[in-house]
Amino acid sequence: MRALITGGTGGIGFAIAEHFAKDGHQVILADLDERLLQQKTAELTAKGFAADYCLLDVCCQEAIAQCAERFPADILVNNAGIQHVARLEEFPPEKWAQLISVMLTGPAMLTRAMLPHMRAQQFGRVINIGSIHAVIASPFKSAYVAAKHGLLGLSKVVALENADINFTINTICPAYVKTPLVEKQIAAQAKEHNLTEQQVIEQIMLAPMPQKAFIDVSEIAGMAAFLCQDSAKHMTAQTLILDGGWTAR
C-alpha cells in the first residue's frame, strides 16, 4: 500500500514513514523543503525501502490536487503542524489563520482529495496526528487548541460519511513529544515566563503528566501502524490519547 505523510521530514512524520516503510508500504514524504525531502527520501531508499516525495503546501488547493493526482494514497497521515504562542489579544490575525489552515483546513482538504481513490478501491485509512491539546487546553495556544479540537469533529463526520466501505479515520493525541516544534515552544515559554528551559520542562510541560516523560516518536509510529492493521478495521472516529496519565486527573 501507499502511505502519504505530511510533515514527513519532521521528527514524528519521518518516524511514521520509516515504520511504514519497514512494514512494506511505499511511503511518500510530503513537506515544504525540497532539499530536506530529497535528503530524507534518500535515507529511506538507501535502506532498500520504497519511497518518494511530494513538495506540498497543505494550505494550497492547487498543490493538494496535484499531490493527490500524482500519489493517490491508501493511507493518509495528516501530520503537518506549526505553532505560535501568544495571548489571544496579542495573537496576529494572519498567524491565527495560518495555524487553522495548516492543521485543520489542510487535513480536511487533503482527505477530501484522497477520498475518491479510497472510495473507488473500497479501502482507506486516514490518521490524524492531533495532540493532548485536542482534548484539553493550555494558555497562549488558542489557535493550536482550536485546530486540534476541530480535527476530532472532522474525523467523526468523515467516518460517518464513509462507513459504507472499509475506511477508518482516527486521531492520535500525544502529550509533549521532544521535536523541534516543541523545543521552540520551550524556548518561547522560557522567555514568556522568565524561566530556564529546564524549568519550563519540569514546571509547565511535564507538570500535569504523572509519568513525567516526553512521548517518544516511536510510540506514535507504532500506534499509526496498528491503525492500519486488519485488527483495527472497526476502530474509527476515535481519539487515541498517549498522555502518561495527564487526562486521568
Side-chain angles (χ1 to χ4, degrees):
M1 288 191 288
R2 175 184 288 154
L4 187 141
I5 302 102
T6 68
T9 62
I12 294 173
F14 191 71
I16 293 171
E18 192 164 32
H19 197 302
F20 280 4
K22 289 176 181 177
D23 285 347
H25 300 305
Q26 180 196 25
V27 296
I28 310 299
L29 306 181
D31 220 319
L32 290 167
D33 185 331
E34 188 163 21
R35 181 195 59 80
L36 192 55
L37 280 165
Q38 292 171 341
Q39 176 188 323
K40 290 295 187 178
T41 301
E43 286 182 30
L44 294 173
T45 56
K47 296 177 181 178
F49 299 137
D52 206 334
Y53 73 87
C54 180
L55 190 64
L56 176 65
D57 177 356
V58 298
C59 301
C60 175
Q61 296 300 314
E62 183 179 356
I64 286 173
Q66 290 173 351
C67 183
E69 182 178 2
R70 184 181 175 197
F71 296 113
D74 309 302
I75 302 166
L76 171 63
V77 181
N78 289 310
N79 169 68
I82 57 173
Q83 179 63 285
H84 184 80
V85 178
R87 297 180 67 88
L88 180 58
E89 63 268 31
E90 298 166 0
F91 217 114
E94 66 278 6
K95 184 60 69 172
W96 171 279
Q98 183 187 22
L99 265 68
I100 297 298
S101 182
V102 169
M103 294 183 291
L104 182 55
T105 307
M109 294 300 99
L110 191 53
T111 301
R112 175 181 179 272
M114 295 297 181
L115 273 170
H117 168 72
M118 293 179 176
R119 290 196 60 81
Q121 65 177 7
Q122 298 282 293
F123 177 90
R125 296 289 181 266
V126 177
I127 301 165
N128 299 314
I129 304 303
S131 165
I132 188 68
H133 287 103
V135 294
I136 59 99
S138 294
F140 315 116
K141 297 182 179 180
S142 54
Y144 187 89
V145 169
K148 294 299 186 181
H149 272 68
L151 269 181
L152 304 188
L154 170 68
S155 298
K156 292 176 182 178
V157 172
V158 176
L160 293 174
E161 290 177 352
N162 295 280
D164 58 321
I165 63 170
N166 184 0
F167 172 92
T168 68
I169 178 169
N170 294 287
T171 306
I172 300 173
C173 293
Y176 290 107
V177 184
K178 200 72 176 292
T179 63
L181 182 65
V182 168
E183 287 172 355
K184 289 179 183 177
Q185 292 180 52
I186 293 170
Q189 292 206 30
K191 182 178 180 181
E192 175 79 23
H193 300 289
N194 196 27
L195 299 170
T196 66
E197 292 191 4
Q198 187 59 35
Q199 286 174 321
V200 170
I201 291 170
E202 294 173 357
Q203 299 176 21
I204 298 177
M205 289 193 161
L206 299 185
M209 183 192 289
Q211 291 185 341
K212 305 296 182 190
F214 285 102
I215 304 299
D216 192 79
V217 293
S218 65
E219 299 174 62
I220 302 168
M223 181 68 72
F226 165 71
L227 290 171
C228 297
Q229 294 177 7
D230 196 52
S231 55
K233 67 182 178 182
H234 293 130
M235 181 179 288
T236 192
Q238 298 304 304
T239 305
L240 294 89
I241 302 174
L242 290 71
D243 69 351
W246 186 330
T247 53
R249 295 183 182 277

